[in-house]
């Protein structure tokens, strides 16, 4: 039985009038009559007695109404509870982030939510390099701010909130470290550390490309599961690493150089969540994160306010 047939039957059983039933359903009288006739054919007997003056339920119609009404009310109540839960903004929201700049946005958004929605707690944790979507999929994260694009059927993504240039992380003993910049073609001359774990192929190809733009093969170094392990191997001359520019600021260490690319696309970061699971708390966090980014961008454009008499 289709839902529209069920609703039409129950409303007509209550109103006992085709016109009022049509008005409540926002359908034509002819459509209401068609739905009732289709249900009667499905049942195999009349459910209503129709005359020019009145509409009445048959004994079978009364039985069907009495059997259906409790279940219909239960379904409507369940849907209403789900909708209310989606609107409620309370409890604890678990948010993941990839890298310190994304973490700073997440932390500022959490602080802003603490003022605007004190009933909503936010707990944050870094997304593992070796498993970028595992904790989101299994429910440990409700939403995360991480690298785009995300080409996963069960995950949705929001707009880009942050852009970063890419750098080559390489040993100071390697000849490339003597320069000020590198190109993607230079990768043919150094093996890249790969990433062990549950990393999708399209993501791995962006982080650890197999060929330069001209088609020259790029060698492979050891597999790593986290950034600290990767930096140790880079310092030891075991390979190089493609990373975001923030790595040079947050992870400076002896024996490692960070060289900007002259021709690599930047890395974009956006919010990612389970498809269909963007509830009220996730939506308010997304709006707040966007406001945090907009405020920071506006502040950067304004720049510092000079002191009186300053330049």
């Amino acid at each position: 039985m289709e839902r529209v047939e069920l609703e039409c039957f129950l409303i007509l059983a209550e109103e006992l009038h085709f016109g009022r039933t049509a008005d409540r359903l926002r359908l034509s009288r002819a459509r209401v009559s068609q739905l009732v006739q289709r249900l009667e054919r499905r049942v195999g007997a009349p459910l209503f007695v129709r005359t020019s003056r009145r509409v009445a339920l048959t004994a079978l119609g009364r039985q069907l109404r009495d059997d259906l009404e409790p279940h219909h009310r239960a379904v409507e109540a369940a849907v209403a509870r789900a909708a209310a839960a989606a609107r409620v903004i309370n409890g604890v929201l678990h948010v993941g982030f990839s890298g310190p700049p994304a973490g700073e946005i997440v932390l500022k958004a959490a602080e802003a939510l603490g003022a605007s929605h004190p009933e909503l707690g936010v707990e944050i944790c870094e997304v593992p390099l070796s498993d970028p979507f595992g904790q989101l999929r299994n429910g440990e994260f409700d939403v995360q701010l991480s690298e785009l694009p995300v080409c996963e059927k069960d995950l949705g993504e929001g707009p880009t909130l942050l852009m970063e240039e890419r750098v080559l992380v390489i040993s100071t003993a390697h000849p490339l470290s003597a320069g000020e910049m590198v190109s993607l073609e230079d990768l043919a001359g150094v093996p890249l550390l790969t990433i062990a774990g549950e990393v999708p192929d399209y993501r791995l190809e962006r982080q650890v490309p197999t060929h330069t733009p001209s088609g020259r093969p790029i060698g492979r170094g050891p597999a790593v599961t986290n950034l600290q392990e990767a930096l140790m191997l880079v310092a030891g001359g075991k390979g190089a690493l493609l990373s975001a520019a923030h790595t040079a600021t947050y992870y400076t260490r002896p024996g490692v150089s960070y060289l900007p690319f002259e021709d690599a696309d930047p890395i974009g970061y956006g919010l990612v969540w389970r498809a269909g699971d963007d509830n009220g708390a996730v939506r308010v966090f997304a709006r707040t994160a966007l406001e945090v980014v907009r405020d920071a961008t506006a502040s950067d454009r304004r720049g510092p306010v000079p002191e009186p008499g300053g330049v």
Side-chain angles (χ1 to χ4, degrees), residues 74-212:
V75 169
E76 288 189 324
V79 172
R81 286 194 297 271
R87 292 191 297 269
V88 168
I89 303 172
N90 59 22
V92 177
L93 190 70
H94 298 88
V95 184
F97 65 90
S98 294
E104 291 173 2
I105 292 175
V106 167
L107 186 59
K108 289 177 181 177
E111 291 172 350
L113 281 178
S116 62
H117 294 83
E119 71 281 7
L120 176 62
V122 180
E123 295 184 359
I124 67 175
C125 185
E126 189 166 12
V127 176
L129 179 68
S130 59
D131 190 10
F133 305 125
Q135 288 177 278
L136 182 61
R137 284 192 168 111
N138 66 25
E140 292 181 57
F141 295 152
D142 298 300
V143 62
Q144 64 186 45
L145 180 55
S146 55
E147 295 91 339
L148 302 177
V150 175
C151 306
E152 309 293 313
K153 292 182 179 180
D154 61 329
L155 302 178
E157 67 176 56
T160 300
L161 298 182
L162 172 68
M163 296 288 289
E164 271 196 290
E165 297 300 324
R166 288 198 282 176
V167 297
L168 180 66
V169 187
I170 194 167
S171 168
T172 53
H174 194 280
L176 284 175
S177 68
E180 295 183 356
M181 300 187 75
V182 291
S183 75
L184 291 172
E185 289 298 327
D186 291 327
L187 298 180
V190 57
L192 292 180
L193 301 179
T194 190
I195 301 171
E198 301 296 324
V199 183
D201 290 343
Y202 69 88
R203 192 73 165 266
L204 197 61
E205 177 60 27
R206 181 167 173 80
Q207 294 176 326
V208 192
T210 56
H211 293 81
T212 69

Side-chain angles (χ1 to χ4, degrees), residues 7-310:
E7 292 181 343
C8 183
F9 168 74
L10 290 174
I11 292 175
L12 184 57
E14 177 187 342
E15 294 286 354
L16 297 178
H17 191 281
F18 277 82
R20 289 193 295 271
T21 299
D23 290 341
R24 285 180 59 178
L25 288 171
R26 297 183 179 180
L27 299 173
S28 66
R29 293 191 183 191
R31 178 59 175 159
V32 170
S33 180
Q34 182 185 56
L35 290 170
V36 171
Q37 290 171 6
R38 189 164 72 187
L39 180 57
E40 289 176 328
R41 288 195 298 270
R42 190 189 304 276
V43 172
L47 299 172
F48 296 92
V49 177
R50 309 160 178 82
T51 69
S52 59
R53 290 187 174 184
R54 61 190 291 267
V55 176
L57 283 163
T58 64
L60 183 61
R62 288 193 296 273
Q63 176 188 320
L64 182 61
R65 177 200 60 194
D66 294 343
D67 288 343
L68 285 177
E69 274 187 335
H71 302 289
H72 185 250
R73 286 196 298 270
V75 169
E76 288 189 324
V79 172
R81 286 194 297 271
R87 292 191 297 269
V88 168
I89 303 172
N90 59 22
V92 177
L93 190 70
H94 298 88
V95 184
F97 65 90
S98 294
E104 291 173 2
I105 292 175
V106 167
L107 186 59
K108 289 177 181 177
E111 291 172 350
L113 281 178
S116 62
H117 294 83
E119 71 281 7
L120 176 62
V122 180
E123 295 184 359
I124 67 175
C125 185
E126 189 166 12
V127 176
L129 179 68
S130 59
D131 190 10
F133 305 125
Q135 288 177 278
L136 182 61
R137 284 192 168 111
N138 66 25
E140 292 181 57
F141 295 152
D142 298 300
V143 62
Q144 64 186 45
L145 180 55
S146 55
E147 295 91 339
L148 302 177
V150 175
C151 306
E152 309 293 313
K153 292 182 179 180
D154 61 329
L155 302 178
E157 67 176 56
T160 300
L161 298 182
L162 172 68
M163 296 288 289
E164 271 196 290
E165 297 300 324
R166 288 198 282 176
V167 297
L168 180 66
V169 187
I170 194 167
S171 168
T172 53
H174 194 280
L176 284 175
S177 68
E180 295 183 356
M181 300 187 75
V182 291
S183 75
L184 291 172
E185 289 298 327
D186 291 327
L187 298 180
V190 57
L192 292 180
L193 301 179
T194 190
I195 301 171
E198 301 296 324
V199 183
D201 290 343
Y202 69 88
R203 192 73 165 266
L204 197 61
E205 177 60 27
R206 181 167 173 80
Q207 294 176 326
V208 192
T210 56
H211 293 81
T212 69
S214 68
R216 299 163 66 197
I218 301 172
R220 281 288 179 270
V224 299
T225 59
N226 59 73
L227 186 56
Q228 292 298 338
E229 180 184 356
L231 293 175
M232 180 185 68
L233 291 174
V234 169
K238 304 300 183 181
L241 178 72
L242 288 183
S243 188
H246 74 258
T247 312
T249 302
Y250 292 90
Y251 300 98
T252 300
R253 60 174 295 161
V256 175
S257 292
Y258 300 88
L259 301 175
F261 280 93
E262 61 186 24
D263 54 357
D265 293 334
I267 299 174
Y269 298 79
L271 290 176
V272 186
W273 56 85
R274 292 180 295 279
D277 204 12
D278 52 335
N279 57 35
V282 170
R283 289 195 294 270
V284 75
F285 182 85
R287 288 196 298 270
T288 304
L290 183 58
E291 290 169 0
V292 165
V293 172
R294 286 175 174 169
D295 289 346
T297 302
S299 178
D300 289 344
R301 287 174 179 169
R302 287 193 298 268
V305 178
E307 295 291 334

